[in-house]
C-alpha cells in the first residue's frame, strides 16, 4: 500500500505506524515500528520500492514473522508499506544479475488483497537471496513446517472473541428447540460429517439412524440441517450439499422422507429447493456422482439460482484487479467494469438471497444447496438471514452470522484463502467470502441505517481474512480447528473488534426488528466497492458517506459551540442566573443525545 | 358521453364538448375553490375526475401506494390523497401540489391493461380498460397511477382520454395556451404582479445588483458600465456589464465590433486571491484595428491585472451543444426504459450502455476544464478569460462551475440562484432555443443547463458537506427547466425578457447593425400572462419541500464569505500598473502563445504592438502557469505522496480552496435520484411508516441548533457582544420528525405497522426545543403515509427499492430545514471573536 490515505485505510491495520515526522526520519528508519507482542524481527535491508504511483522510492524494508514493513528514506516522499505476510500470495524474483535497466533486479510480490509490490535491489553479491528466502519462508510458514503466526503471537485482549458464538445459544435465540425441531449430537465426533459442526438442528421426528442414512445420499455427508427458523411462521432455511443422484438417477427414500419432514414442520405446501448453481452445472455434476433433486421429491419445487462456481468468481476478481491496479482503467471504465462481470456475480448472489428471504418471510420453508454446500450455499443462507433477521445486522450478530454460517459450517477458508501456503496457483482458492462481504456492503449502502456496524468493520474483516494475525479464519472446518486447538491457542478476530467496539459502529443505526430488507439487485443500483477494491490507489479519495461526513461535522460544530459557550460563561465575570440556567440545561435535558454521542467521536 | 360499444370507444372531438365535460370551473370572483378536495387555481377547470386511484410512490416519497382521487384540469394532472388535510383557502396558490404533474411536463401517456400496454395519443381509442396509467415526463419522472377495481370504468377511460388529449404534445403554440391555463386568469395575473422578488439573492439585473456583486467579491478596479443599456452595443449582453474602471465608455464602445455578437470581455468573478475571471466571445478577425482599438482591447482584456492574461479556449475539449443533446437523449432512453415498447436495456449491459451515452464523459470534461481554471485563479494575480465562439453555452457552464468550486457563497441556495442569474439568465444563455419548449427549432435544442446541473451534482456528491444547497434543490431546478412557465427559461437574453416585460418594443428598439435575434412568435402579446421567475419557489413547492432545499446547519465555513480581494499572500504576484504583459492560451492542458492568439497582435497590428513595446509573451511565465495546473494534478494525489506531510491536514479548511473533484471513472457518479426516479424495473413494495424517533443526524443537528441559539443568547447577554440582531431561527422540529417517519424509515419493510407511540420515542423533542413557528403540526404532515393494506401477500416478486442512494435521501430529508439556514449574524460574529 502506498501511504495510508483515508481514515479507513489508515486504520485498516490497527498497528499502523502513525509517527511520520521528519525528525524520526533522521533517526533509525525502522526504530519506531511498533510490533505486535510475539512478533519478531527477522531481517531488514536497504531496498528500493517501485511505487506504481510515485516511481522508485529508496528506503528500508523490515521483515518480521508477521509483516513486511517498508519506509522510505527520502525526506520528501514518505511512503510506508505495512503488509501482513499473510496477504502475500506469491513472491518471485524479478530480473537476473545481468539484466539491464534501472531497478530491473529485485522481487515481485503478488498480494491477495488487490495489489502487487515490487522491490528493486542492487545487482551485486546476490543481494536479494537472503531476503527472498526469508520472505518466502515466513510468508508461507505452512510450506516450511513453521507455525502460523496466530500460534506465535502473544496478543491479549480483555474479552476472548471465542465466546461470541456458541451454537447452542444461537439456536436457542432463534427459539429452538420446538416441537418440530430438535438438537442432535450425532456428529459429536465428526463421524456423520467431518465438515459440519457437532451440534445440529434437525426435524424432530427424524431419528439419528435416519440421519446417517440420509448422509450417505448427500455429498460429503452434508445432510440438510436447519440454519434459521422464522419466529412467527416457523418457516426454515435448511442447508445441505447436493444429492448423490449420479448418472443412474439414484433415489433415496430416507432423503425424500427427510425433506418431507422439513416441509411438514410448518405445513409448507411445497418445499422450495434452491440450487445455487446454473442448471447446466447441476446436470454436469451428475457425471461425478452428484446432481439435483428430481421429480421423485413430491411436494418440492426446484429453483436454480444461476450462480457461477468458485473458478468463475476467482477469474472475475482477477479481471477486476487488472482494471483497478495499479492504474484505474480510464478510457472505458464502465465497460471495462462490466466486462469483469464482478458486479453481475454480486447481483446474482444477492438476488438469489432475496428469493430465499422472500420465500421464508412468506412462510415457505426452503432448502439451499450448491455442490458441496460450503460456498454459494453459505453466501445464500447468510445473506438471506441478514435480510430476514435484524439480529445479524448488529455488530455482535454479524460476528455470530460469520461464525455460524461460514466458519462452523465448513466454508473452506484454508483452501479458499491459502493461509501460509505457497501454492499460489491452487485451483481451490477463490474469493467467495470477499464476495459475500461485498454483498453485505451493497446492502449497507442501500440501507444505511439498518446495520449497527460500519464499512470499517467489513474492511477489517477482509484484512484479517488474509493477515493471519487471528485464528478466526484458519482451517477448513470445525474438526480441523479442534485438532489444531485453534480456540485454545489463538486469538479471535472478534476479540480485537469487540475491544474497540466504538470504531466499528454506524452512527446512523436505527434498531428496527422484524423488518425484512430487500436490496435492489440491479446493475442500476449496485456500485463498485471503491473503498475496498481501489483503496491502494492514492488517487482515489475515499468518499465518506455524506451523512457520515455531515455527522462528523455536526459533532465538530457541537464541540465548538460547547467550548465557546463554556468560554463565554467563564469569561463572564458576573455570571447571571440566566447563564447558569442555560448551562445547566445544556447539561441536563437536551443533552441526552449529546452524552450518547460523545463516545462516537473518537472512532470517526 | 360514450359512443360505440362497451369495449370500443371512439374519442370525440375535444373542443365541442369540453365545456360540458368541465366538472367545475372556479368562478371569476372566487380566488380559488376547493373542488372534491382539489384546490384549484383561479380559473382552473377540472375536466375529469377518477376516484379510488392509487399513486405509486417513488423512492423519494417513501415507496408504496397512496390512495386518493385523480383529477385532470386543463393545466395539470392532480392527485389528492385520501386523507390529505383540507386545503387552506387563504393560502397563496401553489401551482402544483406534491403529487401533481403539469400537463406541459408530460411527454408520453401509456396505459397498462390486463395483458398489454399501449401508448395513448390524442386520437387513440382503447379496446380495454386500463389498470394502470403511466405518465412519462420530460423531466424524467415517471408517474404511475393504479386504478382500483372500484374505480368506475367510465372514469378510467374518460380520464385516460382527457389526459391524452389535453396534455401538450410538443408543438409550436401549445406553450402559450399552457401558460394561459396556468397563469392567465385575472386573479393569477394580479397575484403574480403583486409578488415580491426575493431580495436575499442577487438578480444581476440592475446597476446596484452588479455593484453589490463587485463589493461582495472585493473586486476593486472594476466598474459597472451601462454602455449597453439600450442593447445598442450587443443585443445578447445584459444591460449592464462590468469592465475595468480605467476604460471609459467611449473607449469601450469601439471594442464591441471586434467580438462576435459584440460580446466583449466582461468581468464575472474575482477570486479572493485577486485573480479575475472574464468571459468573452471570439474575436472578429476581419476588422481593421486602429491603434487606439488595440489599446482599448488590451485594457479590457487584461482587466485589472497587468502582467498576465490566460485565454482559455472552450471550444476544443468540451462537448458541443449537439453532442450534449445527443448524449442526453441517450441517457433519457436508457434510464426511462419504455413500458409501451418493452424496450429497456438489459441489466447486464447497463454499465456499458451508460458509458456509451457519453453523458458522464461530458460532465467530466466540463469539470476538468473548470478545475483547470479554478487552479489558475487561485494561483496568483492574473486574468483568466474564457473564450467561446458565441460565449453563450460552455462559457456559462465553465464560469459558473468555477465559481461553485471556489466560492462558498455559490454553494448556498441564494448564492447559487444569483450565480445562475449572473452567468446564465442575464448573460444570455439561449434558454429559449436550448430548452426548445416551443418546438420551433429542434436543431438548436441542447440541455446545456442540465449538464451543468449534473456537474454541480457531481460536486455535491463528492463534497456533500461543503454545500448548503441540497440535492432536492437541484432536482427542483432540474424539473423547473421543463416547465414552460418561468421567464428565466423562456428567453434567449435579457433583451427579450425586457421586451416581454415592456409589452412592446417601444423602449428597446433594436439598432441597425445587429441582427435581431428575436423569434417571431415570441413577439410580445399584451395578453400574455406575466411569467414569474423560477426563483419564486413558493409558486411551485410547499414550505415543507422548500425547507429541504438547504441543510439545516450550514456547512462549516460560514456561508457568507467576505471576499475582500486581499487574501493573497502570494509573493510571486508582480503587480505593475504599467502596460499589459503576456497573454497565453490554455488548450489541452498546455500553455502556448500562438502568434495569432490576439488577432491584432498578428502581422496586421504588429507595428502598433511593437510600438507599445510589449514583448511576445515571455516563456518564463509558462512554467509558472504549468505549475499551477500541476498543483491540481498533485492534489489528486494525497499529500502523503506528493509532499512530506503524510496525512492531509485535517485542520480548518481554507474555505476558498477550490473543490477539485476526482474525475477518474470510479469517482463519477450517476445522478440516480434524478435519472432513475421513474425506473419501472424496481417493483413497488409495501413499506412501513413507523419509528417516531429522529435520525441521529437530525437529533444532532437539532442539538447543534440549540447550542447555537444558546450561544447567541448568551453572547447577546454579555456586554461586549453584538446585540441579538436576529434571534436564531427556530428550527422546525415537528415537521422534521414527521418527515422522518415518512422518509427515513421506509428503508425497513414493515411486518406490521407500529403505533406512533413506540417505546423508543425520543424524549419529546418539542419540550426541550424551540417551539416551531413554521411548518404544519404533525397531523398535517406529508400525506405520503402509504397504505398498509398490501403488506400482506401481494408482494411476491416485489423488491423493496432499497434506495436510490439512500444517503442522499437521508441527507435531504433529515436535514430538511428552514429555508434560510445562515448563521444568525449575532452568533456568527460572537463565535469569531
Amino acid at each position: 500500500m502506498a501511504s495510508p490515505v483515508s481514515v479507513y485505510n489508515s486504520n485498516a491495520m490497527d498497528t499502523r505506524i502513525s509517527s511520520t515526522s521528519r525528525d524520526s526520519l533522521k533517526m533509525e528508519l525502522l526504530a519506531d515500528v511498533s510490533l505486535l507482542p510475539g512478533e519478531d524481527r527477522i531481517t531488514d535491508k536497504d531496498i528500493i520500492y517501485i511505487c506504481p504511483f510515485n516511481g522508485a522510492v529508496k528506503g528500508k524494508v523490515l521483515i518480521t514473522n508477521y509483516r513486511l514493513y517498508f519506509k522510505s528514506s527520502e525526506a520528501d516522499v514518505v511512503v510506508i508499506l505495512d503488509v501482513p505476510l499473510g496477504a502475500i500470495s506469491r513472491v518471485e524474483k524479478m530480473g537476473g544479475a545481468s539484466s539491464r535497466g534501472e531497478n530491473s533486479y529485485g522481487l515481485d510480490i503478488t498480494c491477495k488483497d488487490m495489489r502487487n509490490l515490487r522491490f528493486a535491489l542492487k545487482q551485486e553479491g546476490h543481494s536479494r537471496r537472503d531476503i527472498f528466502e526469508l520472505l518466502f519462508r515466513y510468508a508461507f510458514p505452512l510450506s516450511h513446517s513453521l507455525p502460523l503466526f496466530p500460534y506465535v503471537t502473544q496478543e491479549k485482549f480483555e474479552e476472548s472473541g471465542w465466546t461470541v458464538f456458541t451454537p447452542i445459544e444461537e439456536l436457542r435465540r432463534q427459539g429452538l428447540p420446538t416441537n418440530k425441531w430438535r438438537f442432535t449430537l450425532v456428529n459429536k465426533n465428526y463421524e456423520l460429517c467431518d465438515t459440519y459442526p457437532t451440534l445440529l438442528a434437525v426435524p424432530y421426528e427424524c431419528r439419528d439412524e435416519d440421519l446417517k442414512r440420509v448422509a450417505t445420499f448427500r455429498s460429503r455427508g452434508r445432510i440438510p440441517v436447519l440454519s434459521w427458523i422464522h419466529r412467527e411462521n416457523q418457516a426454515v432455511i435448511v442447508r445441505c450439499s447436493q444429492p448423490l443422484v449420479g448418472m443412474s438417477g439414484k433415489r433415496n427414500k430416507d432423503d425424500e422422507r427427510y425433506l418431507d419432514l422439513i416441509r411438514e414442520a410448518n405445513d409448507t405446501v411445497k418445499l422450495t429447493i434452491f440450487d445455487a448453481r446454473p442448471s447446466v452445472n447441476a446436470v454436469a455434476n451428475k457425471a461425478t456422482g452428484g446432481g439435483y433433486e428430481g421429480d421423485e421429491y413430491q411436494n418440492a419445487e426446484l429453483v436454480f439460482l444461476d450462480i457461477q462456481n468458485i473458478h468463475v468468481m476467482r477469474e472475475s476478481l482477477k479481471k477486476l484487479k487488472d482494471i483497478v491496479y495499479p492504474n484505474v482503467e480510464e478510457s472505458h471504465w464502465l465497460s471495462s467494469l462490466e466486462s469483469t462481470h464482478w458486479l453481475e456475480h454480486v447481483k446474482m448472489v444477492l438476488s438469489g438471497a432475496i428469493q430465499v428471504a422472500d420465500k421464508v418471510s412468506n412462510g415457505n420453508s426452503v432448502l439451499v444447496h450448491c455442490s458441496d454446500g460450503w460456498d454459494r450455499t453459505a453466501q445464500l443462507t447468510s445473506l438471506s438471514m441478514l435480510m430476514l433477521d435484524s439480529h445479524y445486522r448488529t455488530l455482535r450478530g454479524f460476528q455470530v452470522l460469520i461464525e455460524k454460517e461460514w466458519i462452523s459450517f465448513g466454508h473452506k477458508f484454508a483452501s479458499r484463502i491459502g493461509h501460509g501456503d505457497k501454492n499460489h496457483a491452487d485451483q481451490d482458492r477463490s474469493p467467495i467470502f470477499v464476495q459475500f462481504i461485498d454483498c453485505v456492503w451493497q446492502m449497507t449502502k442501500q440501507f444505511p441505517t439498518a446495520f449497527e456496524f460500519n464499512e470499517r468493520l467489513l474492511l477489517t474483516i477482509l484484512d484479517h481474512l488474509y493477515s493471519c494475525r487471528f485464528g478466526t479464519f484458519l482451517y477448513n472446518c470445525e474438526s480441523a480447528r479442534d485438532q489444531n486447538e485453534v480456540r485454545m491457542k489463538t486469538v479471535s478476530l472478534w476479540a480485537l473488534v469487540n475491544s474497540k467496539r466504538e470504531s466499528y459502529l454506524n452512527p446512523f443505526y436505527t434498531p428496527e426488528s422484524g423488518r425484512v430488507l430487500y436490496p435492489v439487485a440491479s446493475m442500476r443500483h449496485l456500485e463498485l466497492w471503491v473503498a475496498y477494491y481501489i483503496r491502494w490507489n492514492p488517487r482515489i479519495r475515499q468518499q465518506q458517506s455524506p451523512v457520515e461526513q455531515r455527522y462528523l461535522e455536526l459533532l465538530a460544530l457541537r464541540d465548538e459551540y460547547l467550548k465557546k459557550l463554556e468560554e463565554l460563561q467563564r469569561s463572564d465575570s458576573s455570571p447571571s442566573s440566566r447563564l447558569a440556567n442555560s448551562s445547566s440545561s445544556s447539561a441536563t435535558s437536551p443533552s441526552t443525545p449529546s452524552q450518547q454521542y460523545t463516545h462516537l467521536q473518537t472512532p470517526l | 358521453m360514450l359512443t360505440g360499444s362497451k369495449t370500443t370507444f371512439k374519442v370525440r372531438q375535444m373542443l365541442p364538448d369540453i365545456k360540458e365535460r368541465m366538472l367545475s370551473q372556479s368562478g371569476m370572483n372566487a380566488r380559488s375553490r376547493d373542488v372534491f378536495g382539489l384546490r384549484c387555481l383561479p380559473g382552473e377547470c377540472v375536466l375529469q375526475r377518477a376516484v379510488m386511484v392509487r399513486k405509486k410512490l417513488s423512492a423519494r416519497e417513501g415507496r408504496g401506494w397512496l390512495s386518493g382521487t385523480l383529477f385532470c384540469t386543463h393545466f395539470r394532472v392532480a392527485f389528492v390523497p385520501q386523507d390529505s388535510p383540507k386545503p387552506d383557502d387563504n393560502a397563496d396558490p401553489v401551482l402544483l401540489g406534491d403529487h401533481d404533474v403539469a400537463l406541459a411536463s408530460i411527454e408520453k401517456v401509456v396505459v397498462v391493461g390486463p395483458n398489454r400496454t399501449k401508448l395513448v395519443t390524442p386520437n387513440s381509442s382503447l379496446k380495454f380498460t386500463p389498470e394502470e396509467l403511466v405518465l412519462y415526463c420530460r423531466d424524467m419522472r415517471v408517474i404511475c397511477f393504479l386504478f382500483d377495481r372500484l374505480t368506475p370504468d367510465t372514469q378510467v377511460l374518460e380520464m385516460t382520454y382527457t389526459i391524452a388529449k389535453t396534455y401538450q404534445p410538443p408543438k409550436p403554440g401549445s406553450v402559450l395556451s399552457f401558460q394561459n391555463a396556468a397563469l392567465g386568469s385575472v386573479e393569477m395575473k394580479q397575484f403574480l404582479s403583486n409578488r415580491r422578488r426575493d431580495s436575499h439573492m442577487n438578480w444581476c439585473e440592475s446597476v446596484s445588483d452588479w455593484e453589490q456583486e463587485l463589493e461582495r467579491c472585493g473586486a476593486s478596479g472594476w466598474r459597472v458600465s451601462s454602455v449597453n443599456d439600450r442593447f445598442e452595443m450587443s443585443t445578447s449582453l445584459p444591460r449592464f456589464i462590468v469592465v475595468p474602471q480605467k476604460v471609459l465608455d467611449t473607449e469601450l464602445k469601439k471594442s464591441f465590433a471586434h467580438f462576435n455578437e459584440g460580446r466583449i470581455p466582461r468581468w464575472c468573478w474575482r477570486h479572493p486571491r485577486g485573480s479575475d475571471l472574464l468571459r468573452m466571445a471570439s474575436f472578429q478577425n476581419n476588422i481593421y484595428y486602429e491603434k487606439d482599438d488595440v489599446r482599448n482591447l488590451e485594457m479590457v482584456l487584461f482587466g485589472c491585472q497587468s502582467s498576465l492574461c490566460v485565454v482559455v479556449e472552450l471550444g476544443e475539449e468540451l462537448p458541443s451543444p449537439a453532442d450534449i443533446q445527443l448524449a442526453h437523449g441517450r441517457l433519457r432512453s436508457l434510464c426511462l426504459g419504455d413500458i409501451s415498447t418493452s424496450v429497456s436495456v438489459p441489466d447486464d449491459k447497463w454499465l456499458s450502455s451508460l458509458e456509451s451515452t457519453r453523458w458522464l464523459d461530458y460532465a467530466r470534461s466540463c469539470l476538468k476544464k473548470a478545475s483547470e481554471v479554478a487552479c489558475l485563479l487561485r494561483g496568483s494575480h492574473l486574468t483568466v478569460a474564457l473564450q467561446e465562439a458565441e460565449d453563450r453555452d460552455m462559457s456559462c457552464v465553465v464560469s459558473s462551475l468555477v465559481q461553485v468550486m471556489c466560492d462558498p457563497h455559490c454553494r448556498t441556495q441564494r448564492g447559487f440562484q444569483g450565480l445562475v442569474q449572473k452567468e446564465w439568465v442575464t448573460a444570455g444563455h439561449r434558454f429559449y432555443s436550448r430548452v426548445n419548449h416551443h418546438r420551433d427549432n429542434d436543431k438548436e435544442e441542447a440541455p446545456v443547463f442540465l449538464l451543468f446541473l449534473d456537474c454541480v451534482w457531481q460536486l455535491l456528491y463528492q463534497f456533500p458537506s461543503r454545500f448548503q444547497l441540497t440535492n432536492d434543490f437541484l432536482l427542483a431546478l432540474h424539473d423547473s427547466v421543463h416547465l414552460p412557465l418561468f421567464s428565466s427559461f423562456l428567453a434567449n437574453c435579457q433583451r427579450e425578457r425586457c421586451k416581454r416585460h415592456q409589452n412592446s418594443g417601444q423602449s428597446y428598439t433594436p439598432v441597425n447593425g445587429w441582427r435581431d435575434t428575436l423569434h417571431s412568435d415570441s413577439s410580445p402579446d399584451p395578453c400574455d400572462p406575466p411569467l414569474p421567475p423560477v426563483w419564486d419557489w413558493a409558486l411551485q413547492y410547499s414550505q415543507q419541500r422548500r425547507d429541504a432545499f438547504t441543510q439545516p446547519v450550514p456547512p462549516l465555513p460560514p456561508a457568507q464569505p467576505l471576499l475582500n480581494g486581499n487574501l493573497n499572500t502570494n509573493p510571486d504576484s508582480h503587480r505593475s500598473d504599467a502596460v499589459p504583459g503576456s497573454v497565453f492560451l490554455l488548450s489541452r492542458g498546455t500553455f502556448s502563445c500562438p502568434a495569432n492568439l490576439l488577432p491584432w497582435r498578428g502581422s496586421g497590428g504588429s507595428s502598433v504592438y511593437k510600438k507599445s513595446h510589449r514583448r511576445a509573451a515571455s516563456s518564463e511565465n509558462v512554467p509558472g502557469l504549468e505549475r499551477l495546473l500541476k498543483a491540481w494534478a498533485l492534489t489528486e494525489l494525497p499529500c502523503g505522496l506528493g509532499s512530506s506531510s503524510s496525512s492531509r491536514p485535517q485542520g480548518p479548511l481554507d474555505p476558498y480552496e477550490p473543490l477539485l473533484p476526482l474525475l477518474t471513472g470510479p469517482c463519477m457518479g450517476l445522478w440516480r435520484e434524478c435519472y432513475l426516479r421513474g425506473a419501472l424495473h424496481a417493483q413497488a413494495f409495501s413499506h412501513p411508516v413507523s419509528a417516531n424517533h429522529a435520525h441521529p443526524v437530525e437529533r444532532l443537528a437539532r442539538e447543534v441548533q440549540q447550542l447555537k441559539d444558546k450561544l447567541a443568547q448568551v453572547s447577546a447577554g454579555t456586554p461586549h457582544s453584538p446585540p441579538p440582531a436576529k434571534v436564531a431561527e427556530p428550527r422546525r422540529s415537528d415537521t422534521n420528525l414527521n418527515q422522518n417517519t415518512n422518509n427515513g424509515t421506509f428503508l425497513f419493510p414493515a411486518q406490521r405497522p407500529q403505533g406512533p407511540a413506540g417505546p423508543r420515542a425520543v424524549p419529546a423533542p418539542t419540550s426541550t426545543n424551540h417551539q416551531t413557528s413554521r411548518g404544519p403540526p404533525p397531523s398535517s404532515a406529508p400525506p405520503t403515509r402509504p397504505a398498509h393494506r398490501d403488506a400482506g401477500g401481494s408482494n411476491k416478486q416485489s423488491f423493496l427499492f432499497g434506495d436510490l442512494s439512500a444517503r442522499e435521501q437521508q441527507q435531504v430529508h433529515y436535514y430538511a430545514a428552514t429555508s434560510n439556514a445562515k448563521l444568525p449574524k449575532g452568533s456568527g460574529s460572537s463565535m469569531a471573536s
Side-chain angles (χ1 to χ4, degrees), chain A residues 2-5 18 20 22 51 53-54 75-79 230 232 328-338 343-344 347 354-355 358-359 361-362 393 445-450 507-512 514-528 530 534 538-541 543-551 553-562 564-565 568-569 571-572 578-579 582-583 585-586 589-594 596-597, chain B residues 334 344-355 360 364 461-466 551-556 636-638 640-644 646 648 660-667 672 676 681-682 685 688 690-691 693 695-697 699-701 703-704 706-708 710-711 713-715 717-720 744-745 747-752 754 760 763 768 792-793 795-804 806-808 810-811 814-815 823 830-831 833:
Chain A
S3 129
V5 185
S18 54
T20 53
R22 262 165 205 268
C51 172
F53 312 105
N54 256 23
D76 54 335
V77 188
V78 175
V79 174
H230 194 290
E232 272 109 47
V328 173
E329 169 73 43
E330 257 309 323
S331 52
H332 292 285
W333 163 250
L334 289 175
S335 42
S336 307
L337 180 60
E338 183 177 280
L343 281 179
E344 217 181 312
K347 172 186 132 176
I354 290 168
Q355 292 177 58
D358 188 49
K359 278 281 177 208
S361 72
N362 285 325
R393 305 197 282 261
K445 285 307 252 190
Q446 296 197 13
F447 304 99
T449 62
F508 311 112
Y509 175 54
T510 315
E512 198 60 47
R515 305 275 181 262
V516 185
L517 303 187
Y518 292 102
V520 184
S522 153
M523 295 299 282
R524 286 157 167 82
H525 294 278
L526 295 181
E527 286 174 51
L528 182 73
V530 171
I534 322 187
R539 288 185 180 84
I540 305 286
R541 179 174 44 220
Q543 288 182 18
Q544 215 166 17
S545 103
V547 188
E548 197 163 338
Q549 206 168 338
R550 182 84 188 124
Y551 187 78
E553 282 170 11
L554 283 172
L555 277 179
L557 208 57
R558 192 196 60 185
D559 290 351
E560 186 189 318
Y561 288 163
L562 276 174
K564 286 266 154 60
L565 209 62
L568 269 173
Q569 285 167 2
S571 70
D572 202 348
R578 187 168 61 86
L579 291 189
S582 63
S583 76
S585 75
S586 85
S589 53
S591 66
T592 334
S594 94
Q596 204 175 327
Y597 294 131
Chain B
L334 175 66
S344 98
V345 172
D347 211 39
D348 58 342
K349 291 277 170 266
W350 164 258
L351 291 173
S352 51
S353 309
L354 179 61
E355 179 181 287
L360 292 177
R364 185 204 322 252
Y461 172 69
Q462 293 199 19
F463 305 93
S465 55
R466 306 288 290 276
Q551 298 191 10
V553 180
L556 284 183
E636 279 204 279
L637 286 174
L641 277 179
S643 69
S644 52
S646 73
R648 197 185 288 248
L660 298 177
L662 294 177
L663 302 174
T664 53
C667 300
R672 290 195 174 89
L676 288 177
H681 55 87
F685 196 87
S690 69
H693 52 119
H695 188 273
V697 175
R699 279 181 289 177
L700 189 60
E703 197 194 334
V704 167
Q706 283 170 22
L707 280 170
K708 199 197 289 176
K710 194 168 297 152
L711 204 57
Q713 245 178 33
V714 171
S715 55
T718 54
H720 48 266
T745 53
L747 303 166
F748 305 92
Q751 233 143 26
R752 74 172 81 92
Q754 224 172 296
R760 283 184 307 273
T768 59
N795 47 15
K796 276 218 167 155
Q797 56 286 68
S798 45
F799 302 105
L800 179 64
F801 205 108
D803 79 332
L804 310 151
R807 290 162 290 153
E808 202 48 57
Q810 280 207 342
Q811 185 168 16
Y814 296 142
Y815 306 152
L823 276 169
S830 70
M831 255 177 295
S833 65

Side-chain angles (χ1 to χ4, degrees), chain B residues 159-455:
Chain B
M159 176 60 76
T160 310
Y161 291 142
T162 310
I163 293 175
K165 278 187 293 182
T166 41
Y167 90 94
Q168 316 284 318
K171 65 166 189 274
S174 61
V175 171
L176 189 62
S177 64
F178 172 75
Q179 289 167 350
N180 275 318
L183 312 168
S185 69
V186 179
E187 293 92 336
M188 270 318 264
K189 283 179 178 172
Q190 205 171 8
F191 169 70
L192 288 175
S193 59
N194 288 334
R195 296 287 290 180
R196 288 243 177 83
R197 278 180 161 197
D198 185 347
S199 58
H200 297 289
M201 64 174 274
N202 194 327
W203 293 74
C204 291
E205 285 181 353
S206 66
V207 175
S208 64
D209 287 346
W210 280 103
E211 279 170 348
Q212 197 189 327
E213 178 70 0
L214 281 172
E215 194 187 339
R216 187 186 74 82
C217 296
S220 52
W222 296 91
R223 68 181 181 90
V224 183
S225 165
S226 48
V227 67
N228 196 40
D229 191 24
R230 295 161 64 85
F231 305 109
E232 286 166 346
M233 295 292 121
S234 166
T235 48
S236 65
L237 281 185
R239 294 171 63 189
F240 308 109
I241 54 178
V242 176
V243 295
Q245 223 156 31
K246 56 191 171 193
V247 185
L248 301 176
D249 276 1
T250 46
E251 296 169 326
L252 204 58
K253 278 183 182 165
K254 295 183 183 156
S255 305
F256 285 91
H258 297 288
F259 290 89
N260 195 359
E261 286 190 37
R263 297 175 69 89
I264 58 165
R266 289 120 39 227
W267 176 88
C268 299
W269 182 71
R270 168 169 285 190
H271 190 279
R273 291 209 175 114
S275 299
D276 289 302
L277 181 67
L278 272 57
R279 51 188 281 193
M280 62 184 175
S282 59
F283 305 109
Q284 292 283 44
N285 281 330
N286 46 0
I287 290 180
Y288 174 72
Y289 292 92
E290 287 182 27
K291 187 180 162 191
D292 283 352
D293 287 1
V294 172
R295 197 185 72 91
N296 293 338
L297 280 171
E298 295 197 337
M299 288 226 291
V300 174
L301 183 58
F302 276 84
C304 296
Q305 318 295 339
S306 46
S307 56
L308 205 51
C309 172
V310 178
V311 173
V312 179
E313 167 59 49
L314 298 181
E316 287 185 347
E317 294 151 79
L318 296 176
S320 70
D323 293 337
I324 297 172
Q325 170 69 357
L326 196 61
H328 191 254
R330 292 198 198 109
L331 182 72
R332 275 185 70 90
S333 54
L334 175 66
C335 291
L336 285 189
D338 192 333
I339 196 170
S340 65
T341 55
S342 312
V343 175
S344 98
V345 172
D347 211 39
D348 58 342
K349 291 277 170 266
W350 164 258
L351 291 173
S352 51
S353 309
L354 179 61
E355 179 181 287
S356 62
T357 65
R358 307 216 60 199
W359 180 258
L360 292 177
D361 277 347
Y362 294 155
R364 185 204 322 252
S365 53
C366 293
L367 285 165
K368 181 158 184 281
K369 187 55 83 181
S371 302
E372 287 175 6
V373 174
C375 286
L376 284 179
L377 286 171
R378 79 169 162 182
S380 62
H381 283 286
L382 47 78
T383 304
V384 177
L386 306 177
Q387 185 171 41
E388 190 192 20
E390 288 199 307
D391 179 32
R392 298 178 75 172
D393 289 305
M394 297 324 283
S395 56
C396 301
V397 175
V398 174
S399 63
S400 41
L401 275 180
V402 168
Q403 293 172 59
V404 171
M405 285 173 180
C406 296
D407 189 344
H409 176 67
C410 296
R411 304 195 285 264
T412 64
Q413 185 199 336
R414 294 271 155 55
F416 187 80
Q417 294 179 174
L419 179 70
V420 173
Q421 280 291 119
K422 182 170 72 167
E423 299 296 343
W424 294 81
V425 177
T426 63
H429 174 66
R430 295 191 289 148
F431 276 114
Y432 179 96
S433 309
R434 293 296 183 223
V435 179
N436 196 20
H437 278 307
H438 291 77
R439 299 280 143 186
D440 46 6
N441 193 351
D442 288 352
K443 271 210 312 275
E444 292 284 300
E445 185 178 335
V448 180
F449 187 66
L450 300 186
L451 181 64
F452 164 66
L453 290 182
D454 192 296
C455 293

